[in-house]
Amino acid sequence: MENGIELSPEELALALEKAKREAQALLDKMTPEEREQARIKAEKLIEEDNASMQKLIDDAKRVASEFSEKKAPSFCTGCGAPAGKGNFCEYCGQPLK
């Protein structure tokens, strides 16, 4: 792990239960208005996180697409003719890698 702490599944389950109890204790102290504000804030943070993750996915797809396009040779290595979009040279039949 990044911070050097390793937990067994049992320790992780115990830590999660403790965090749930602490969160519930905090919620129990809140007024209905404070709970609603917290819910709205949580939903906004989730939306922002989802948007961030989607941007990362879109960027990764774009980079992967650009990389795969750059891997294709622009000229046939067999005859030197411009490489088409297919897998084989249109002029000499050489496979385009």
Side-chain angles (χ1 to χ4, degrees), residues 37-56:
Q37 289 174 352
R39 185 191 63 75
I40 292 168
K41 184 176 180 180
E43 285 179 355
K44 182 179 177 188
L45 290 171
I46 290 169
E47 286 176 16
E48 290 171 358
D49 284 349
N50 287 341
S52 254
M53 285 187 285
Q54 189 60 53
K55 183 179 181 321
L56 287 171

Side-chain angles (χ1 to χ4, degrees), residues 59-80:
D59 288 348
K61 286 179 181 177
R62 180 185 48 77
V63 168
S65 174
E66 290 173 3
F67 179 75
S68 66
E69 290 172 7
K70 289 179 182 177
K71 287 175 67 177
S74 56
F75 296 95
C76 173
T77 55
C79 70

Side-chain angles (χ1 to χ4, degrees), residues 76-84 86-97:
C76 173
T77 55
C79 70
N87 293 324
F88 298 92
C89 177
E90 297 174 5
Y91 298 95
C92 71
Q94 172 87 13
L96 300 172
K97 298 178 184 175

Side-chain angles (χ1 to χ4, degrees), residues 12-27:
L12 186 58
L14 288 173
L16 182 58
E17 284 305 315
K18 180 181 177 189
K20 284 180 182 178
R21 285 192 307 273
E22 290 172 356
Q24 187 60 52
L26 290 173
L27 285 171

